[in-house]
Amino acid sequence: MDLVPALHEPLRQPLKSVLGPATAKVMAEHLGLVTVGDLLHHYPRRYEERGQLTHLADLPMDEHVTVVAQVADARLHTFASARAPRGKGQRLEVTITDGSGRLQLVFFGNGVHKPHKELLPGTRAMFAGKVSVFNRRLQLAHPAYELLRGDPEESVETWAGALIPIYPATAKLESWKIGKALQTVLPTAQEAVDPLPESLRRGRGLVPLPEALLKIHRPHTKADIEDSRARLKWDEAFVLQVALARRRHADAQLPAVPRKPSPDGLLTAFDARLPFTLTEGQQRVSREIFEDLATEHPMHRLLQGEVGSGKTMVALRAMLAVVDAGGQAAMLAPTEVLAQQHHRSIVEMMGELAEGGMLGGAEQGTKVVLLTGSMGAAARRQALLDLTTGEAGIVIGTHALIEDKVQFHDLGLVVVDEQHRFGVEQRDALRGKGKQPPHLLVMTATPIPRTVAMTVFGDLETSVLDQLPAGRSPIASHVVPAADKPHFLSRAWERVREEVGNGHQAYVVCPRIGDEEDDPKKSGKKKPPESPESQASPEDAAEKRPPLAVLDVAEQLSKGPLKDVRVEVLHGRMHPDDKDAVMRRFAAGETDVLVATTVIEVGVNVPNATVMVIMDADRFGVSQLHQLRGRVGRGSAPGLCLLVSEMPEASPARQRLNAVASTLDGFELSRIDLEQRREGDVLGQAQSGARTSLRMLAVIEDEEIIAEARQEATAVVARDPELTRLPALRTALDALLDEEREQYLEKG
């Protein structure tokens, strides 16, 4: 929303810089702040009142923090070390307090002299550094600090009540330096042009943009902060929703071939074969999809559903409807294991309907082909030929489908499975293979809260499958604290043996493969020696140990707790034929326990598997754990998921695992996941990380604002799709949609 030349001015220029060149360089490289406008939109994370100090008791481990506190005590110690063998090493220990807790600061060597003079008991200052633990006490080693000296003119009351902005900072640029840089550029905030239509701004009682920018960086009262936040959140939500509304409007203008299934065709024959009744949810979502397919504009629909809710069945019926109407359908899967699994299960479900043109095939059948990168040349040639001639109505493949050689006779529908695994370019390349834009169905088993769906997938209509098919069993989930209670882990292996004894099967998942390529022990990298101030806590020890590996764990289990049990391994670096053979043996019940990486995370369907043991579960994300857990409980026997972790009970990692164990509701878990990860760049390809186009808006907390902004944006775009009467909004949109994001939306 950097709207005028003054705000576009670079912070660093060859001849004159707005800031010092060193500061501007750090801002660009570490915080992504390049222009005056970028810096103005770098908002404080929170505010400290000088009279009300931070709760030192609540500091997060291993994070870069800024605290305001008072020096309680400072002591200089001498000690002998390798560098100072005669006892001339110096260490300054400073204790600071805020009334809620105490925190130790340590300075070593030549770094003790300045703080020894300045950090006297009673001194107030801001301190910034990384929180660590030494001798079971929290500490900051060599923190940067800024003394807080009240202006002589300032009354004690004013000084104590002043709000100090604390900015997202880095080790190379402390919060107070960012604050000083902002004071330099703050006058240019007056030149910010307001993107909100005046009627909307007044109707919602929002302050003008220049006022919001001034108040967010220099608030006099807490009401100033609230006013500016409310305004800046609306900016972000509204401009983003306008971008998505324009995308939806443009899509609605594109032509597409309507695809209506014939009354007695392939779909009817398939439905007649089904040995079960579709759930109400499957029937409802199928109706929504068939209505979209029958229109003259391309369908853009997101189908989200819990693990095992029957999304593949809904997608298959959509593909059959398109084949019925004379078109072809392509399903894009993220891995070869999943593509092969989909191909196998679809061919099984269709029976003779998947043998169109073959001896014994049904009259109204079609060919279902598989296309992956590792296929033999002859099989590949035949698959390509079947697609070009239209002989194959359905193709299932990996990114090999996107290659230039792949030509379709008449591509009518693209189904993308597990959308978060694909770059937008890949999806777009496949859509570009239709003579006219094909219909698009995007599927995900990672439940997405409504507000995220309105932002990340705001240009797609959404269908939700929230019922599990009949016959699915509940899954019990438990955390196994391997370090605190080793006997719990022994019991976990006993449970696996019991399930195998009852004729069932189990998965054991590890974060790493354990071959030479990913083994830190064999990669030749030496660990740096630990300094006296960096001894590890139990949490650090669990973090710093290399993640458990498939090859090691499989060997230990075969020789130990699972001796005499048929154990096999599966991981991404195996030859595709070997992977397929392992999966076939497991599916056929010839293997009891499969020790694997996350290649089994999506789509793998073995109803007889009842136990999932996830080693080092704290190394996986919330939605990934939920996905993995969904591999069991797919038959009539109840499922069991054991989350093994060495992290201490009070750690955030264990709290995350407890959350996963406490609910099977994927939507609830996705909220927890999002609150912990932040949103990431909702328009860029990164799904998380520091760079985000949402600086103020939190998609979980601000659901109401997003929903209202979507309504307003849709109305504005319907009246004026090109925004010709709203030049300031158009400028704001251009600033949000830099080239990469513009392409993302164009292709999305």
Side-chain angles (χ1 to χ4, degrees), residues 28 35 147 162 216 229 245 248 501 695:
T35 65
L147 301 179
I216 200 80
R229 276 188 171 155
R248 289 195 302 276
R695 295 178 174 90

Side-chain angles (χ1 to χ4, degrees), residues 598-649:
T598 54
V599 291
I600 60 143
E601 179 188 345
V602 287
V604 173
N605 183 26
V606 179
N608 191 45
T610 53
V611 190
M612 165 71 65
V613 182
I614 304 175
M615 308 303 291
D616 278 344
D618 48 89
R619 311 254 181 164
F620 298 95
V622 169
S623 58
Q624 205 172 24
L625 292 169
H626 184 57
Q627 285 276 358
L628 287 166
R629 169 170 63 185
R631 299 303 108 215
V632 296
R634 299 175 79 87
S636 53
L640 173 66
C641 178
L642 301 174
L643 305 166
V644 181
S645 172
E646 290 186 4
M647 297 302 270
E649 194 164 356

Side-chain angles (χ1 to χ4, degrees), residues 171-182:
K172 300 204 169 184
L173 195 66
E174 294 85 15
S175 169
W176 52 87
K177 289 185 181 164
I178 296 170
K180 283 177 182 168
L182 264 152

